[in-house]
């Protein structure tokens, strides 16, 4: 199953929320969903959907985790250079203007593998 199919399936399960429907339409019909819709879709799906965007060569991953948003910056090849928690406005500020913002299944992000994150702990730059 492709990432896009997984994302669509999760969004369909939570389609009672307008932001989720907006993100679904953006994926399926090349429509527009704004950043606020993407952020709310993460929360509305209880974190099953995460976001990824590009900041130069780095990938910025964002997720909803229970009661907060988390950000993880990964530089190739899998060097973690930043981790932060924030609120909705802080997340939107950090994602504004980044390239290629898109939803993805949480299980396809580095967040899904605590062992991987733990093994990279020594590689995290201050």
């Amino acid at each position: 199953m492709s990432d896009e199919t997984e994302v669509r399936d999760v969004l369909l399960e939570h389609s009672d929320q307008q932001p989720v429907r907006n993100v679904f339409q953006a994926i399926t019909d090349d429509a527009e969903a704004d950043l606020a819709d993407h952020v709310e879709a993460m929360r509305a799906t209880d974190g099953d959907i995460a976001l990824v965007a590009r900041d130069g060569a780095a990938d910025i991953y964002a997720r909803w985790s229970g009661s907060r948003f988390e950000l993880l910056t990964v530089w190739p090849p899998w060097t973690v250079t930043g981790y932060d928690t924030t609120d909705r406005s802080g997340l939107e500020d950090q994602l504004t203007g980044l390239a290629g913002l898109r939803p993805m299944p949480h299980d396809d992000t580095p967040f899904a593998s605590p062992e991987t994150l733990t093994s990279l702990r020594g590689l995290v730059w201050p």
Side-chain angles (χ1 to χ4, degrees):
M1 185 180 304
S2 74
D3 283 358
E4 187 175 309
T5 300
E6 289 179 57
V7 168
R8 283 195 319 252
D9 289 348
V10 171
L11 293 173
L12 279 173
E13 290 174 26
H14 300 275
S15 62
D16 56 332
Q17 304 253 349
Q18 185 63 48
V20 172
R21 290 192 300 271
N22 293 346
V23 172
F24 181 85
Q25 188 172 15
I27 292 170
T28 58
D29 298 333
D30 291 328
E32 291 293 320
D34 64 19
L35 179 57
D37 287 337
H38 280 92
V39 170
E40 180 57 23
M42 282 195 308
R43 193 205 55 78
T45 62
D46 199 28
D48 289 341
I49 298 296
L51 295 175
V52 64
R54 304 274 306 166
D55 185 8
D59 290 324
I60 309 295
Y61 293 91
R63 75 170 175 179
W64 169 254
S65 181
S67 62
R68 65 185 185 192
F69 293 99
E70 298 178 340
L71 287 146
L72 182 67
T73 303
V74 180
W75 282 81
W78 289 99
T79 302
V80 176
T81 61
Y83 170 79
D84 198 7
T85 61
T86 188
D87 59 11
R88 177 184 304 274
S89 64
L91 178 67
E92 289 178 2
D93 287 346
Q94 291 193 28
L95 295 178
T96 297
L98 297 183
L101 179 72
R102 66 181 172 85
M104 67 184 310
H106 177 273
D107 290 346
D108 291 347
T109 70
F111 287 117
S113 178
E115 298 82 21
T116 299
L117 294 177
T118 301
S119 71
L120 295 174
R121 189 163 300 181
L123 299 175
V124 175
W125 298 347

